[in-house]
Amino acid sequence: MSETLSFVLSMSIIFSVIIGIVRWRIIDPPYYPFIYNIVVVLLVEIINGTHKYSVATVQLLNVFSIIDFCLFAWLFHNWGLFNHSRNWFLTIIILSVSTWIYITFFLTGFGNINNPFLLLYSFALIFFSVTTFNKIVVQQRINIFTNAKFWICMGIIIFYSFFMLTRATNLSTGLHFSRSFRHNLQQINNFSNVLVNLLYAVAVIWIPRKKNITTLL
């Protein structure tokens, strides 16, 4: 797959961003972190697509990894995954930032891709999504296909599962993967990225409206 085609496919995130901008004034505030996230993703994809691979782009991806996790953690906190406990949420953020700092600056170096953290936070987001998905199925009686949480969780599970696989091959020291295997794996990851971006677009469409607050006089 050419770099041009890969960049075009990555730009599929723009559909969910456009829908999010159009619906911004009416969407429920707990979903704001998700809108922030897809906007950041779009900016990162544009920068990566318009600049050749360099230390600067690697550093950008390293910074994005912690921003990505924090925004999704904020989203899951708004959904009540941590029992709406601010202390639990802050603890998770502090631990994740501390881990990111240690791995990025002391273990791998800021100029290298922080693969260990990428694996850790991907696993955490998958765990958060599976837990939330189970709650949706068990506790909520509405049609899951019109539930934005369902589409977001599906997107996270699909994307970060493939993402973890690609990162794991980069960390494997005892196993030797051929160039063709890595290339095919990256292509699968690129196409899964398109699928996930479309799922996110559907999710933004189904984000519920702001709740009307009426005051009794």
Side-chain angles (χ1 to χ4, degrees):
M1 181 183 296
S2 67
E3 292 184 1
T4 302
L5 178 57
S6 178
F7 174 68
V8 171
L9 292 177
S10 68
M11 285 295 97
S12 56
I13 189 67
I14 199 171
F15 296 114
S16 54
V17 172
I18 292 174
I19 299 172
I21 293 174
V22 171
R23 300 196 67 228
W24 175 257
R25 292 187 176 183
I26 65 171
I27 64 176
D28 204 12
Y31 288 84
Y32 284 170
F34 180 68
I35 304 300
Y36 299 150
N37 183 271
I38 58 178
V39 171
V40 172
V41 170
L42 176 61
L43 294 176
V44 171
E45 294 289 4
I46 291 174
I47 294 173
N48 284 336
T50 54
H51 293 76
K52 293 184 178 180
Y53 182 86
S54 64
V55 174
T57 57
V58 170
Q59 292 172 341
L60 174 65
L61 290 175
N62 286 339
V63 173
F64 168 73
S65 64
I66 187 62
I67 294 174
D68 189 39
F69 176 79
C70 289
L71 287 174
F72 272 126
W74 182 13
L75 178 68
F76 284 109
H77 169 64
N78 289 345
W79 289 350
L81 180 62
F82 313 125
N83 296 320
H84 293 291
S85 171
R86 185 178 179 83
N87 290 335
W88 269 110
F89 172 64
L90 292 178
T91 300
I92 290 172
I93 294 299
I94 292 172
L95 287 176
S96 62
V97 171
S98 300
T99 303
W100 178 84
I101 291 174
Y102 173 73
I103 292 176
T104 304
F105 291 99
F106 299 101
L107 188 62
T108 61
F110 192 42
N112 300 307
I113 297 178
N114 53 2
N115 283 310
F117 181 78
L118 294 177
L119 281 172
L120 287 173
Y121 102 88
S122 296
F123 177 81
L125 291 184
I126 292 173
F127 176 76
F128 294 164
S129 298
V130 171
T131 304
T132 302
F133 180 85
N134 289 336
K135 286 185 177 181
I136 294 173
V137 173
V138 174
Q139 298 179 1
Q140 299 187 15
R141 302 296 181 180
I142 65 175
N143 184 358
I144 61 174
F145 296 110
T146 60
N147 191 324
K149 294 180 183 178
F150 167 77
W151 295 108
I152 294 173
C153 288
M154 285 296 295
I156 292 174
I157 293 170
I158 293 172
F159 177 79
Y160 289 98
S161 294
F162 282 109
F163 186 71
M164 283 184 66
L165 184 58
T166 58
R167 294 297 102 194
T169 58
N170 292 333
L171 279 177
S172 300
T173 55
L175 299 176
H176 299 283
F177 298 98
S178 65
R179 176 179 292 183
S180 61
F181 175 82
R182 292 177 184 274
H183 177 71
N184 291 334
L185 188 60
Q186 185 59 48
Q187 283 192 331
I188 294 174
N189 192 54
N190 289 337
F191 285 112
S192 70
N193 190 28
V194 176
L195 172 62
V196 171
N197 289 340
L198 294 178
L199 293 180
Y200 284 169
V202 174
V204 178
I205 292 174
W206 288 113
I207 290 178
R209 291 171 173 264
K210 291 180 180 178
K211 295 178 177 62
N212 293 324
I213 301 176
T214 57
T215 303
L216 296 177
L217 300 178

